[in-house]
Amino acid sequence: MDYLRRTWAEIDLDALTRNFMEMKKRLKPGCQTMAVVKADAYGHGDGYVSRTLQQAGADWFAVSNINEAVSLRQQDVTRPILILGYTPPEQVKLLGSMSISQTIYSTEYAHALSKAAAACGVHIDCHIKIDTGMSRIGFYAQQQLEAQAAEEIAQVCALPGLDCTGIFTHFAVADSYHGDDPAFTRRQFDCFMQTVALLAERNITFRLRHCCNSAATLAYPEMYLDMVRLGDVLYGLNPSSECAGMAQLKPVMSLYTTVTMVKTLTDGVDISYGRKYTTPHNGLRIASIAIGYADGYRRNFSNKGHVLLHGQPAPIVGTICMDQLMIDVTGIPQTKSGDVVTLLGCDGEQQITLDDFAAINQTINYEECCLIGRRVPRVYLQGGQEIAAIDYVIARL
């Protein structure tokens, strides 16, 4: 496969399919699946990921914005797509022509979208978003204001040009099972169901009601309703440490780079920007490797993280640069220029995971894969073989 073998990410499409089927088998007959592929499929590449999931049986796809939706349509994704966030009203013609569904989250936005749709002579399929506890976007139905939310939604459903076929909410702490978090999730669900019931009393119903994100799909089967939204679990990631072991998931992404130079340093030598590391009294053998923070390997790994080389861990020494970093290979004497280095994935019996990344950076695992840079080619594997490679930098030329 032809791609730049400097730094690259491998995406295991078989693992992706396996994770999807692992989640799908939990669902009751008739419950649909929405694959969340926003942010370039969490950094894994939206095209190959979405086509693989489409073939595996995903019913819907969710994205953040209209550019992401158009990208899917241009890459042969034919299943329904829902935009979870804002789309400028002047884009309604594109929504209609590409059969893209839009989230409606406020009366003001609904009127703007309806006016634009009427002017263009199009009908837009819409899903209503209810704010039951996330306090982000959505019709506010917290603090016993379900009736008010239902009234606003009823008015929206009567607007011309909008076909409101779905309704949903988003859980804030479905991945937490301590303290009062489970009660909060159940309260969100009850709030959602009460609002839906109030709308039903007005003869306003929806084909698709969906609440469950990945974490809720793992823990709250009674909340599945008509569809579940699967995100991080598709990529082999636990929504939180509390979810670990609740499903047999396999990581989809691995990350590799190459050794560019090996040198021996005497004692007392400073390494990299800021002189944050000085070699010990017996010196050090270091290797420079071809990855840096511009590739998404964060500067915070400086003097903290490690990589795998010849099946052994090699600590990072010094400050990580934009395009390179240095590792201690004193204990790996066979290291030479051109060797493959594993930053994420397995090498022999050793493994580095996105949870390891997240622990160092005090964040969540799926933020880490979203940050892998666009100059890192994505190489797709199926049946253990490379089947395709996408180099975003060359693709833009």
Side-chain angles (χ1 to χ4, degrees):
M1 192 63 57
D2 186 22
Y3 59 91
L4 179 62
R5 295 177 186 269
R6 166 193 170 268
T7 297
W8 67 96
E10 291 185 356
I11 311 300
D12 186 343
L13 297 178
D14 292 332
L16 177 73
T17 299
R18 182 184 181 280
N19 294 336
F20 174 76
M21 299 308 296
E22 168 72 13
M23 299 304 296
K24 185 176 175 63
K25 72 182 183 183
R26 298 167 176 262
L27 307 181
K28 299 172 183 177
C31 183
Q32 297 189 35
T33 55
M34 177 179 283
V36 182
V37 293
K38 60 184 178 179
D40 198 32
Y42 290 41
H44 292 67
D46 61 353
Y48 277 93
V49 164
S50 298
R51 287 193 299 273
T52 299
L53 292 171
Q54 181 172 254
Q55 186 174 8
D59 300 291
W60 279 73
F61 292 90
V63 296
S64 169
N65 57 66
I66 192 166
N67 283 353
E68 292 182 343
V70 171
S71 175
L72 294 190
R73 287 286 184 250
Q74 291 176 341
Q75 297 183 82
D76 300 322
V77 174
T78 58
R79 298 282 174 84
I81 299 171
L82 175 64
I83 295 174
L84 298 172
Y86 172 74
T87 297
E90 56 266 26
Q91 298 288 340
V92 292
K93 193 170 183 180
L94 187 57
L95 289 173
S97 66
M98 290 198 166
S99 298
I100 297 168
S101 301
Q102 173 61 43
T103 293
I104 300 290
Y105 47 79
S106 72
T107 301
E108 178 185 12
Y109 182 59
H111 278 281
L113 208 62
S114 172
K115 182 179 178 180
C120 292
V122 298
H123 278 74
I124 305 302
D125 183 78
C126 301
H127 286 212
I128 300 294
K129 174 71 175 293
I130 303 178
D131 175 12
T132 61
M134 189 71 177
S135 302
R136 197 167 54 181
I137 61 173
F139 291 88
Y140 192 77
Q142 299 182 50
Q143 300 180 321
Q144 300 180 327
L145 292 176
E146 293 92 343
Q148 177 179 308
E151 172 64 29
E152 294 175 0
I153 293 167
Q155 294 177 16
V156 166
C157 291
L159 291 173
L162 306 181
D163 296 331
C164 299
T165 62
I167 191 165
F168 71 107
T169 193
H170 189 61
F171 293 138
V173 288
D175 60 348
S176 176
Y177 312 118
H178 65 271
D180 66 348
D181 285 345
F184 187 87
T185 298
R186 293 187 179 93
R187 189 159 63 247
Q188 280 196 262
F189 181 71
D190 291 343
C191 177
F192 175 76
M193 294 305 292
Q194 184 176 347
T195 306
V196 170
L198 290 169
L199 287 163
E201 291 176 3
R202 297 167 176 260
N203 293 319
I204 300 172
T205 58
F206 304 86
R207 290 199 296 271
L208 291 171
R209 302 161 302 158
H210 46 110
C211 293
C212 288
N213 54 11
S214 291
T217 305
L218 290 171
Y220 298 100
E222 70 276 16
M223 301 180 188
Y224 287 172
L225 301 179
D226 305 309
M227 183 163 65
V228 298
R229 302 187 302 272
L230 304 175
D232 40 14
V233 289
L234 295 176
Y235 310 104
L237 305 173
N238 289 306
S240 71
S241 60
E242 293 181 61
C243 298
M246 296 177 70
Q248 298 302 310
L249 304 174
K250 184 176 180 181
V252 173
M253 178 186 285
S254 301
L255 182 64
Y256 303 98
T257 189
T258 51
V259 172
T260 54
M261 184 177 181
V262 181
K263 66 174 67 172
T264 299
L265 303 178
T266 57
D267 66 311
V269 175
D270 298 323
I271 296 177
S272 196
Y273 292 114
R275 300 170 61 196
K276 303 294 185 182
Y277 185 93
T278 303
T279 58
H281 66 88
N282 55 343
L284 207 67
R285 190 164 183 260
I286 68 165
S288 298
I289 62 176
I291 190 169
Y293 60 79
D295 301 293
Y297 197 79
R298 298 212 228 174
R299 209 163 184 261
N300 198 45
F301 284 112
S302 302
N303 289 326
K304 294 180 184 177
H306 72 277
V307 301
L308 302 178
L309 181 61
H310 295 293
Q312 299 181 58
I316 294 168
V317 292
T319 301
I320 289 174
C321 309
M322 182 180 289
D323 316 303
Q324 303 178 70
L325 62 90
M326 281 65 74
I327 58 175
D328 177 0
V329 295
T330 305
I332 314 175
Q334 67 270 44
T335 302
K336 63 184 184 306
S337 178
D339 283 352
V340 174
V341 179
T342 301
L343 300 109
L344 176 65
C346 295
D347 184 357
E349 296 182 357
Q350 299 286 327
Q351 182 179 23
I352 299 174
T353 69
L354 285 168
D355 289 319
D356 297 325
F357 279 28
I360 291 175
N361 292 313
Q362 298 185 319
T363 184
I364 53 177
N365 50 24
Y366 48 100
E367 178 182 356
E368 295 292 347
C369 54
C370 287
L371 293 177
I372 301 301
R374 299 279 286 182
R375 76 178 185 184
V376 177
R378 270 58 168 181
V379 181
Y380 295 93
L381 308 180
Q382 210 160 42
Q385 302 295 317
E386 296 179 355
I387 64 164
I390 295 180
D391 189 324
Y392 294 108
V393 175
I394 293 176
R396 286 201 301 267
L397 295 178

